[in-house]
Every structure is written in structure tokens, then in C-alpha cells.
Amino acid sequence: MARLLLIEDDLTIRTPLLRALRDRGHAVAAASTAMTGLRDALDDRPDLVVLDLGLPDLDGRELLRMLRAVSAVPVIVATARDDETEIVRVLDAGADDYVVKPFTAAQLDARIRAVLRRGTGSGPEEDTTLVVGGLRVDPRSRQVTLDGTPVELTPREFDLLHHLAGRPGQVVTKRELLAEVWRVPYGGADKTVDVHLSWLRRKLGESAQAPRYLHTVRGVGVRLEAPGSPG
């Protein structure tokens, strides 16, 4: 049983969704405003938050940013827009997944279970510190060090680096990164990958022109490997 917090102001959506999720075995609390939802998320520490973007007191994306500043609780965003720009925007803001309205309780429940499975780990690389050269990536504390010096990353930058560090020496395509890190089930958003790789390189003290760990394979993707490794 998961403890869920549903932040949804529309009573006609909130009431049946509460009932349906409880029928599926979850313990569900609800909030109808952004600020109440933020307070409940911090006080009650749910396992997962389902967040509607259209809230009366604050835009849902702004609430997501506020929540991400103080909590790593998984968040599934409910949005009425299914275009790529909107979806990438909410994922970049820190959402773990999204559902497009209208959706059924069964669809949402499947997304909840998938996100919670990812959170508990599905393989050895999920809870083991990854070491590539002088780079250490600890998924339990979500901390990264480079040659012993802490590297401050955003949640999305950490997820990107963690995915690549789990596949050292392998070329990882942008399509895979979009699917596994951003949870976007289709291509066409390469720019967001490029931007995050650029930010990540800067924090690792390198550039695309002078790479140390992150090597671009033109037209394919990116490879993370220790300096001096055979490319």
C-alpha cells in the first residue's frame, strides 16, 4: 500500500479518483490548493504526489519547483496538454512522470506503481555507488564527487549522470535518455538533452570541445568514460 497525496482542485475529478485509488489499496489524502498541498507534502511525507497543474492559488509548475527545493518525493503531474513542449517543461521542472487528462484511475495506478518501483530500485546500479575514474555517483544520498570534491547537481542532472555512469564506455542514444531519464516516450526533444549535457559538462569542468568524461558521438548520442580510457 502506498501513501499518496492528490493535489487537485476539481471536486468532480478529485472525489472519484480518491475512491478509485483507495479501492486499489492505496492510502490517499487530498488537497485542493497548492499551498495546502505543499504543507501536507512536507508534514505527512507521502510516498508519492499526484499534482494537477491548474490550481486556483498557484501554478502547478511553480508548486513543483517549490516542492523540489525541499523534498525528493516522487511527483506525477496531471496535465491537460499532451504536446512535447509542455511535457518536457514539467519533467525538467522535476516531475517523475506525467498523465494526460482525461485519464482513468487504472492508468494513473499503473504510473504510480511504475514510479514507485523505480524509486525502490530494479537493479544493482540503482543502489550501488558508481565509480568511473575519479567520478563517484551515490544514488542513495544522490551525491556526486569528482576527485573527492562534491559536485552540486540538479535532480535532473543527477539522473542523467547516474544513467550514464551505470553504462561506462557505452554509447547511450538521446532517444534512450529521453525515455529513461525524462520519461518522454518519443523522440524529437534532443535539444533538452543537449542543454542538460552542456550544464553537466560545465559542472564537471569540461566542455564538448575538450571532453574528459562526457564524449559526444555525433549523430548517435553520448558516452561516459574515465579519462585515458580507450574510446
Side-chain angles (χ1 to χ4, degrees), residues 28-41:
V28 192
S32 59
T33 66
M35 298 315 295
T36 301
L38 180 61
R39 183 199 65 202
D40 292 349

Side-chain angles (χ1 to χ4, degrees), residues 67-225:
L67 187 59
R68 275 291 162 261
V70 294
S71 174
V73 62
V75 177
I76 296 178
V77 161
T79 175
R81 298 182 61 186
D82 62 354
D83 61 283
E84 179 182 307
T85 300
E86 173 71 8
I87 291 169
V88 170
R89 186 178 294 123
V90 298
L91 292 172
D92 279 347
D96 294 271
D97 206 344
Y98 65 93
V99 287
V100 176
K101 295 180 177 181
F103 56 84
T104 66
Q107 291 171 332
L108 178 58
D109 185 42
R111 296 289 185 123
I112 289 169
R113 288 184 279 107
V115 168
L116 292 177
R117 280 198 303 270
R118 296 202 299 267
T120 57
S122 58
E125 75 278 8
E126 296 295 336
D127 57 8
T128 301
T129 297
L130 304 175
V131 180
V132 182
L135 190 64
R136 295 178 63 88
V137 182
D138 185 348
R140 288 163 294 188
S141 64
R142 293 184 68 85
Q143 293 181 341
V144 173
T145 59
L146 178 60
D147 299 328
T149 302
V151 180
E152 296 296 328
L153 300 180
T154 66
R156 190 67 64 193
E157 289 166 355
F158 179 89
D159 292 340
L160 175 58
L161 182 61
H162 180 249
H163 188 82
L164 293 170
R167 296 150 183 79
Q170 299 180 26
V171 178
V172 182
T173 66
K174 292 180 182 179
R175 180 179 294 274
E176 178 180 335
L177 292 172
L178 284 168
E180 297 299 325
V181 178
W182 276 264
R183 302 291 167 182
V184 178
Y186 45 76
D190 287 3
K191 184 63 175 178
T192 197
V193 176
D194 292 337
V195 169
H196 280 77
L197 283 172
S198 176
W199 292 340
L200 191 54
R201 283 191 175 101
R202 188 178 308 129
K203 292 184 178 182
L204 295 180
E206 60 183 76
S207 67
Q209 293 72 33
R212 294 183 65 233
Y213 284 90
L214 294 168
H215 300 263
T216 297
V217 180
R218 190 176 300 277
V220 182
V222 62
R223 181 182 68 250
L224 185 145
E225 62 186 17

